[in-house]
Amino acid sequence: MKVKKRLFEIFGPILFAALLMFAVFLSPTWIKFSYVSPKVQRNAAASLSPLILKGQLIKRSALENNYVPFFGSSEWSRFDPFHPSVLATKYHRSYRPFLLGARGSQSLTQFFVMQSINQQMKNKKAVFFVSPQWFVPMGEDPNAFFFYYSPLQTTTWIQQEKGSKMDRYAAYRLLQMPSGDSDKIISGTLARIAAGLKPTSFQMLYVNYRHKVLLNEDQIYSRFRIPVNNAKKIADNAAELPKTYHFQQLDKLAGQLGAQHTNSNRFQIGNRFWNRRLKHHVKALKGFQSNMSFLKSPEYGDFQLVLNQFAKDHTNVLFIIPPVNQRWQKYTGLSSEMLKQFDQKITYQLRSQGFNHIDDLSQDGNVNYFMTDTIHPGWRGWLKMDQEINPFLTKKQKAPHYRIDKSFYSKEWQQAGSDFDYDGYRNDGR
């Protein structure tokens, strides 16, 4: 008896804790405390943390409290006094950017991120940054997608899918990624959806079980998943700005700061980036992008998933098309004609479906101190974007009327190159 008692004293608490944790993860979600403090929301909005990107609770809470989703990738990490988060903080805007994206996150990742905040995007506004560099022949890097992959977002989407073209294509693309095969039952579910079939009863039972566990886990741990706090960085940058917003004064300051931070090279690339990434092998990079093209890519189909979801949610979106650093572009041989054709193709995909809020900056790559490195905006770039972002988000906009065209999922569109006849292209796949 003493041995049994001793064993119970040792293993009893462990067993009890395990049973308690099991009960917590399987309990109804309404039992959890879903309150997220303003401080947590503020820190998460600028953290650029993959854990925040993959979660649900914090994003939903923030978007219900005047935060606006800013979808994109690594450009959001380029903080300076004119960054959207800094300007919104300094000048007490009625909105706050919630930065969604980091290095390597592209359209397919963003589509699944949207599944966790669909209700918060309905009839609301958003900003979406479209990087030309996403549209390479391979499309989104499977390793990058795996890094940002969220089983919670996948189960949320499966619970809502209706067998539409959007759903079938999303399942097809997910199955092309290693993430889509990481759970065999989910993989089988995706295969049925891609084929236009409903998941089986057993598959949905499993999906619902996994969703409940993942959702409870997110509610328990999400508040502790903000490893990076950029609040001080934003405050320090805001301190460099004048108290009153005056464009000419700010533009002059942007030029001055840009000149100070790019004085180590002739490409107007930030000194830190230049010294760490380019300085020691710049000669080897001359002409290395001469054969690069952004015209043929599965990314166009993934981008259509994003547009389809925005239309489904009736989200009014401002799309930003950035330039590339023209000085660097000429040095590396990146074709200016190809970039012009990319701009034409992506703009056509947007406007032909009713996405008319486009801040096309593709011709500004030669403006002094517009870019902070080879492909990311800085100083004057951020400031010019603000001329579109601020009025779009603070003034009332007409409700959009989208006309989704399924043919933009086609291989024909994804592989449309420089010889493509836009005028003769029939949009008959609605």
Side-chain angles (χ1 to χ4, degrees):
M1 291 297 292
K2 290 183 178 180
V3 173
K4 290 183 178 179
K5 183 178 181 181
R6 181 61 179 162
L7 288 173
F8 180 78
E9 290 175 348
I10 296 173
F11 295 106
I14 298 175
L15 179 61
F16 177 75
L19 291 173
L20 181 61
M21 189 61 96
F22 182 76
V24 167
F25 280 133
L26 290 182
S27 63
T29 56
W30 56 265
I31 292 178
K32 313 296 184 301
F33 292 101
S34 58
Y35 173 73
V36 179
S37 71
K39 182 179 180 180
V40 170
Q41 293 177 32
R42 182 173 63 253
N43 292 342
S47 72
L48 299 168
S49 167
L51 297 174
I52 297 298
L53 194 71
K54 294 190 283 187
Q56 175 174 292
L57 175 65
I58 292 179
K59 294 201 300 287
R60 286 187 173 185
S61 298
L63 297 187
E64 290 170 355
N65 287 281
N66 295 324
Y67 284 86
V68 176
F70 277 53
F71 297 94
S73 52
S74 53
E75 64 282 336
W76 300 137
S77 67
R78 270 55 180 182
F79 287 98
D80 67 35
F82 308 93
H83 185 282
S85 296
V86 178
L87 291 176
T89 299
K90 177 68 177 185
Y91 297 112
H92 308 289
R93 302 275 173 80
S94 59
Y95 65 89
R96 290 289 184 273
F98 197 107
L99 307 177
L100 295 171
R103 182 181 178 183
S105 62
Q106 297 181 195
S107 300
L108 190 60
T109 291
Q110 297 294 8
F111 170 77
F112 282 102
V113 168
M114 292 164 73
Q115 305 313 307
S116 63
I117 52 174
N118 280 334
Q119 291 300 316
Q120 288 69 34
M121 293 200 307
K122 288 187 182 300
N123 302 304
K124 297 294 181 63
K125 296 177 181 177
V127 174
F128 197 99
F129 197 96
V130 187
S131 294
Q133 293 75 23
W134 294 354
F135 295 80
V136 293
M138 181 180 71
E140 185 159 0
D141 184 339
N143 293 320
F145 182 83
F146 179 80
F147 183 70
Y148 297 115
Y149 176 69
S150 167
L152 173 58
Q153 292 166 6
T154 299
T155 56
T156 300
W157 164 68
I158 292 175
Q159 288 181 327
Q160 299 170 353
E161 69 87 20
K162 302 296 182 183
S164 66
K165 175 64 177 178
M166 178 184 76
D167 294 324
R168 299 195 306 274
Y169 190 82
Y172 160 75
R173 285 292 286 140
L174 185 49
L175 284 170
Q176 291 185 315
M177 299 290 176
S179 309
D181 199 40
S182 59
D183 182 312
K184 295 303 180 184
I185 299 179
I186 295 294
S187 177
T189 306
L190 295 172
R192 288 186 64 85
I193 295 172
L197 302 173
K198 292 183 178 180
T200 65
S201 298
F202 170 74
Q203 287 172 338
M204 286 309 302
L205 183 67
Y206 177 79
V207 167
N208 292 335
Y209 156 75
R210 284 289 292 150
H211 181 75
K212 181 180 289 187
V213 171
L214 292 166
L215 190 60
N216 288 344
E217 179 183 317
D218 180 61
Q219 291 208 353
I220 293 170
Y221 297 121
S222 60
R223 296 166 181 79
F224 311 105
R225 290 179 170 178
I226 310 177
V228 179
N229 184 352
N230 287 316
K232 185 178 186 304
K233 189 177 293 186
I234 291 173
D236 290 345
N237 277 293
E240 295 190 48
L241 296 172
K243 291 183 178 181
T244 304
Y245 187 101
H246 188 278
F247 178 79
Q248 282 72 24
Q249 183 181 2
L250 290 172
D251 185 61
K252 182 179 179 180
L253 178 60
Q256 292 172 348
L257 292 176
Q260 293 173 17
H261 290 283
T262 61
N263 57 12
S264 63
N265 62 89
R266 61 189 174 92
F267 301 105
Q268 293 189 4
I269 291 173
N271 294 332
R272 185 177 181 182
F273 187 91
W274 172 262
N275 291 328
R276 291 187 175 186
R277 303 279 293 274
L278 299 174
K279 180 180 180 179
H280 302 293
H281 57 278
V282 64
K283 290 182 179 180
L285 298 175
K286 186 175 178 62
F288 88 105
Q289 290 184 309
S290 58
N291 295 319
M292 184 172 289
S293 176
F294 306 140
L295 298 181
K296 298 181 179 182
S297 174
E299 187 70 25
Y300 289 98
D302 296 344
F303 185 58
Q304 184 61 22
L305 284 173
V306 168
L307 300 185
N308 210 152
Q309 189 63 62
F310 278 140
K312 185 177 179 182
D313 293 334
H314 304 285
T315 309
N316 209 342
V317 192
L318 172 64
F319 292 89
I320 299 174
I321 303 175
V324 298
N325 184 319
Q326 192 175 98
R327 295 166 180 81
W328 184 251
Q329 172 205 330
K330 290 181 178 179
Y331 183 79
T332 61
L334 188 64
S335 169
S336 58
E337 182 61 27
M338 180 276 296
L339 289 172
K340 181 180 178 181
Q341 291 164 355
F342 163 78
D343 185 61
Q344 180 185 13
K345 182 173 181 179
I346 202 69
T347 301
Y348 180 85
Q349 186 170 352
L350 287 167
R351 292 198 184 280
S352 65
Q353 298 181 93
F355 294 93
N356 295 316
H357 292 290
I358 304 173
D359 187 15
D360 188 349
L361 305 172
S362 59
Q363 301 302 309
D364 290 326
N366 63 338
V367 175
N368 286 331
Y369 315 117
F370 200 90
M371 310 296 288
T372 190
D373 52 42
T374 59
I375 59 175
H376 298 111
W379 311 287
R380 280 185 167 144
W382 288 132
L383 188 59
K384 186 169 182 180
M385 288 181 204
D386 188 60
Q387 302 306 292
E388 295 293 331
I389 293 174
N390 185 32
F392 176 76
L393 295 179
T394 57
K395 296 181 180 179
K396 187 175 182 179
Q397 306 293 334
K398 291 183 179 179
H401 297 284
Y402 300 130
R403 306 173 299 278
I404 291 301
D405 186 341
K406 298 175 186 176
S407 66
F408 285 114
Y409 288 115
S410 70
K411 292 288 186 181
E412 179 187 11
W413 177 251
Q414 294 174 30
Q415 296 302 308
S418 58
D419 57 347
F420 193 77
D421 180 13
Y422 292 96
D423 292 332
Y425 186 58
R426 289 185 62 199
N427 294 17
D428 54 3
R430 293 171 187 164

